[in-house]
Amino acid sequence: MFNKKGLLTISMLFLLSLVLFACGGGASDGGGSGDDSEGDAGGGDEEGEQFIQVLTGGTEGTYYPLGGTFAQVINDNLDNVEANATSTGASVENMNAISEGDGEIAFTQTDIAAYAAGGEVMFEEPNEDFGAIGTLYPETIQIVATQDSGIETVEDLEGKTVSVGAPGSGTNANADNILEVHGLDINEDIQARDLDFGDSTTGIQDGTIDAAFITSGTPTGAVESLAATSDVTIVNISTEKAQELMDQYSYYSEDEIPEGTYGLEESVSTVAVQAMLVAHSDLSEDLVYEMTKAIFENTDQISHAKGELISAESALDGVGVDLHPGAQKYFDENGISE
């Protein structure tokens, strides 16, 4: 019995010593923790690294390589920012991804941005989750075929197998508009194929499709690859039809593909929309300001040929949607307005 009581007493004394030791240790650590906490607060001005996903387009188009260049410019000129370009299905997919929070910056066409903002055409609900950074360069609508195809006019596409762009791309909307003003229906008068630029030109080369709509800055890599093995033709859009298109859809403008592009023997008249950059509205005003400044004040660092067309002075031409506050701040500071 004594042994049990003695054992119980010893156990209680042991437990009490542990409690006292823990309390003493806690007081000591508390003093140290206070010092460490003050040290952390002092270094809290340094922001954590910000990851920026730049949503582009297919690897054979203009968005993807240009997006890679933009990412590099941002990384070279902003501290604590890591930007990366990602290949996507282009404009429509990008606007949906921005709405879902799956990207921070996105390439898109001005017409698609306007559709997204208004919840029109391919968008069921208005997208209020983005603001424009600025427009970049004309995106030329190129109706590509080979000279052997015999396709010379838009009307010649009737009954033909024609690529009208990857699902989720702005090219599809452009094809629909252009066919419409020429009296053709995209669903009834052609055999439409939803292919990206690379698959489109491969299909033309293989003979599985007859022609393709490609909306992209010229020269487009996929078309250049086709021109390296085949004699390429770009279908002309007359001034009359271009004007009809512009009267109906204000975001189009006349454009021209110069002689010599893709080996063309003479220039080709067509139409274009504008390529633009948008940013997610959750990005801070300061961050978007700095990225806008980095892009438009370092165009000499843009290795892509389209860099020659990109400038702050023209960045509000045809923008068509509200600017992100950070971009607005940059253009206001530089006296640039629409």
Side-chain angles (χ1 to χ4, degrees), residues 13-333:
L13 288 172
F14 178 73
L15 289 172
L16 179 61
S17 68
L18 287 177
V19 171
L20 291 173
F21 178 80
C23 290
S28 174
D29 289 344
S33 295
D35 292 340
D36 290 343
S37 177
E38 289 174 7
D40 289 341
D45 290 338
E46 292 186 10
E47 296 181 1
E49 191 166 43
Q50 175 81 49
F51 293 94
I52 300 295
Q53 193 85 305
V54 183
L55 307 178
T56 63
T59 56
E60 297 291 334
T62 301
Y63 286 174
Y64 181 69
L66 187 57
T69 296
F70 282 173
Q72 190 61 53
V73 168
I74 290 169
N75 292 337
D76 289 345
N77 290 277
L78 273 70
D79 294 330
N80 297 324
V81 174
E82 181 180 334
N84 292 287
T86 300
S87 177
T88 70
S91 297
V92 175
E93 181 179 314
N94 290 350
M95 297 309 301
N96 285 326
I98 287 287
S99 178
E100 294 165 4
D102 292 333
E104 286 70 45
I105 293 179
F107 281 75
T108 187
Q109 295 172 197
T110 49
D111 54 335
I112 303 305
Y115 292 152
E120 301 170 336
V121 189
M122 69 283 290
F123 299 99
E124 295 183 0
E125 299 290 337
N127 182 348
E128 300 177 351
D129 299 319
F130 74 94
I133 289 178
T135 56
L136 303 170
Y137 59 86
E139 286 215 80
T140 307
I141 288 92
Q142 306 165 72
I143 306 174
V144 183
T146 63
Q147 291 182 13
D148 290 342
S149 70
I151 297 172
E152 298 180 354
T153 68
V154 176
E155 289 84 358
D156 289 339
L157 296 176
E158 185 172 6
K160 300 293 196 299
T161 303
V162 182
S163 172
V164 293
S169 74
T171 303
N172 191 282
N174 302 142
D176 190 18
N177 296 159
I178 290 169
L179 290 168
E180 179 187 11
V181 299
H182 287 84
L184 299 177
D185 186 287
I186 194 171
N187 297 310
E188 297 180 3
D189 295 321
I190 64 170
Q191 297 179 50
R193 297 289 182 270
D194 299 324
L195 305 175
D196 65 20
F197 296 165
D199 288 341
S200 293
T201 52
T202 297
I204 291 173
Q205 188 174 27
D206 294 345
T208 55
I209 64 172
D210 301 302
F213 281 83
I214 292 180
T215 301
S216 178
T218 56
T220 303
V223 186
E224 287 185 307
S225 296
L226 176 63
T229 59
S230 306
D231 292 328
V232 167
T233 186
I234 306 293
V235 176
N236 185 81
I237 296 177
S238 70
T239 300
E240 177 185 359
K241 288 299 182 183
Q243 188 60 56
E244 185 178 340
L245 190 67
M246 292 185 291
D247 289 343
Q248 193 166 347
Y249 306 102
S250 60
Y251 37 75
Y252 286 104
S253 60
E254 289 188 89
D255 200 7
E256 183 178 86
I257 301 174
E259 174 187 348
T261 308
Y262 312 132
L264 297 173
E265 295 181 356
E266 56 185 27
S267 62
V268 175
S269 297
T270 184
V271 293
V273 291
Q274 291 283 323
M276 72 185 303
L277 278 181
V278 299
H280 197 287
S281 55
D282 283 350
L283 293 181
S284 72
E285 178 177 322
D286 287 344
L287 178 58
V288 175
Y289 169 84
E290 293 296 341
M291 290 193 294
T292 304
K293 181 177 181 179
I295 290 170
F296 288 110
E297 294 189 1
N298 294 281
T299 54
D300 59 325
Q301 296 179 21
I302 298 174
S303 58
H304 194 278
K306 288 300 174 188
E308 297 179 1
L309 301 176
I310 299 170
S311 72
E313 289 71 25
S314 63
L316 301 185
D317 293 349
V319 70
V321 294
D322 292 338
L323 290 170
H324 189 286
Q328 185 72 66
K329 177 182 176 182
Y330 173 77
F331 294 117
D332 287 347
E333 281 187 0

